[in-house]
């Protein structure tokens, strides 16, 4: 358990705090590949969203703001001497933006990965990807095996042929509270960025994989324009940059967010 309501895992113990927030249906432990790349020189905090993993005892809220306030209570219970940076993927990107605004001066920067908001047309997910995933759901018993081809690049799947099995086992081991995914979807669908824009830290970046088949990269481009933030596109990478971002994502976060 964390110092507040949100469950946390920690890697490293030197430098600033780097908080990684996962997306819909995932658990914080899926950040492990990135966490191991980033832990040298910073303390990486893997935060489980309400209803998942170490936070599965919490009911998932119906708004992004309520998610963010649970994270805020947890982080504000930590010793305040370290600079703090927040990174969020997909729904986690929405939470990260609100959390950064709520933390005020304590948050030095925010990175939004493959995310969106109502202003960018949040629910305009790519129909072909959704249809293919739905077809696989009828054939495969594991949800993650069905979704991985739509959210992870072929290169990543070739390099990790047992990825679907490992992710499915990880998700089952970490646990999910019933109904949490549906509640996350509703929270994301309702999220509006405009009320939080003026409260975000000056250091902000947007990152997207050019091969994101689930949430079109156009969403990230619109977000970057709204945020007046630099956009970094990682060639050939898919939606789930926690699994698929590899060394390129770690380099971007180090060079553009932490340094």
């Amino acid at each position: 358990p964390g110092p507040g309501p949100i469950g946390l895992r920690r890697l490293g113990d030197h430098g600033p705090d780097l908080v990684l927030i996962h997306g819909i249906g995932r658990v914080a432990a899926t950040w492990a590949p990135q966490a191991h790349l980033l832990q040298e020189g910073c303390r990486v905090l893997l935060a489980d969203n309400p209803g998942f993993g170490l936070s599965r005892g919490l009911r998932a809220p119906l708004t992004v703001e309520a998610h963010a306030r649970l994270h805020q209570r947890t982080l504000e219970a930590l010793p305040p001497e370290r600079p703090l940076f927040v990174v969020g993927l997909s729904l986690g990107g929405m939470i990260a933006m609100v959390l950064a605004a709520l933390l005020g001066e304590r948050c030095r920067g925010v990175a939004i990965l493959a995310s969106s908001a109502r202003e960018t047309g949040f629910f305009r997910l790519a129909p072909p990807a959704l249809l293919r995933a739905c077809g696989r759901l009828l054939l495969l018993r594991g949800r993650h095996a069905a979704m991985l081809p739509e959210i992870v690049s072929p290169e990543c799947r070739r390099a990790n042929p047992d990825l679907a099995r490992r992710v499915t086992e990880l998700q089952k081991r970490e646990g999910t509270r019933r109904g949490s995914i549906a509640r996350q979807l509703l929270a994301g669908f309702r999220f509006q960025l405009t009320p939080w824009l003026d409260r975000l830290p000056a250091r902000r970046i947007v990152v997207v994989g050019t091969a994101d088949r689930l949430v079109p990269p156009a969403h990230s481009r619109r977000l970057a324009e709204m945020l007046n933030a630099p956009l970094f596109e990682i060639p050939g990478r898919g939606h789930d940059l926690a699994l698929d971002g590899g060394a390129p994502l770690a380099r971007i976060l180090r060079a553009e967010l932490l340094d």
Side-chain angles (χ1 to χ4, degrees):
I6 293 293
L8 293 176
R9 286 183 174 89
R10 183 183 70 192
L11 284 83
D13 201 26
H14 300 284
D17 282 338
L18 179 65
V19 183
L20 304 181
I21 304 178
H22 62 86
I24 287 176
R26 284 287 190 246
V27 293
T30 55
W31 278 110
Q34 280 299 311
H36 287 291
L37 290 171
L38 291 164
Q39 66 178 320
E40 185 177 349
C42 66
R43 181 169 68 170
V44 182
L45 301 176
L46 306 181
D48 272 300
N49 285 325
F52 296 85
L54 297 180
S55 302
R56 62 185 176 275
L58 297 172
R59 193 179 189 191
L62 294 175
T63 68
V64 167
E65 180 179 352
H67 277 82
R69 289 194 180 277
L70 289 169
H71 285 277
Q72 177 191 15
R73 285 169 54 194
T74 302
L75 295 174
E76 287 183 343
L78 295 171
E81 68 272 7
R82 296 173 186 265
L84 190 148
F85 298 87
V86 182
V87 178
L89 169 67
S90 195
L91 174 73
M94 302 176 197
I95 297 169
M97 288 185 277
V98 178
L99 176 60
L102 292 173
L103 289 170
E105 293 183 359
R106 184 168 182 192
C107 182
R108 305 291 182 84
V110 60
I112 303 102
L113 316 182
S115 193
S116 58
R118 289 200 73 176
E119 294 91 340
T120 71
F122 165 68
F123 232 52
R124 296 175 192 164
L125 303 180
L130 290 177
L131 289 172
R132 286 191 297 268
C134 289
R136 289 192 194 95
L137 283 172
L138 298 175
L139 299 173
L140 300 175
R141 300 177 70 183
R143 178 174 61 249
H144 305 290
M147 286 301 297
L148 278 177
E150 307 307 326
I151 62 176
V152 175
S153 68
E155 177 186 352
C156 180
R157 299 200 309 276
R158 285 194 296 269
N160 302 277
D162 64 340
L163 183 63
R165 178 189 59 78
R166 288 192 290 110
V167 171
T168 297
E169 291 177 354
L170 173 64
Q171 295 272 157
K172 288 181 178 179
R173 183 169 67 248
E174 293 289 301
T176 301
R177 184 176 179 136
R178 187 173 182 179
S180 294
I181 295 175
R183 295 174 71 88
Q184 283 188 328
L185 283 167
L186 181 58
F189 178 70
R190 300 164 68 184
F191 173 64
Q192 291 183 286
L193 172 59
T194 304
W196 306 98
L197 271 174
D198 294 338
R199 299 169 59 182
L200 290 171
R203 186 176 297 186
R204 53 187 86 159
I205 64 172
V206 178
V207 186
V208 67
T210 61
D212 190 335
R213 299 167 67 175
L214 186 64
V215 180
H219 289 287
S220 292
R221 297 183 188 114
R222 294 191 195 107
L223 266 183
E225 292 172 1
M226 288 184 66
L227 294 166
N228 191 26
L231 172 68
F232 299 91
E233 300 190 11
I234 305 180
R237 301 303 171 115
H239 179 73
D240 194 341
L241 292 174
L243 295 171
D244 203 7
L249 175 59
R251 284 196 295 268
I252 290 170
L253 294 177
R254 284 189 179 282
E256 305 298 335
L257 185 68
L258 297 173
D259 290 347

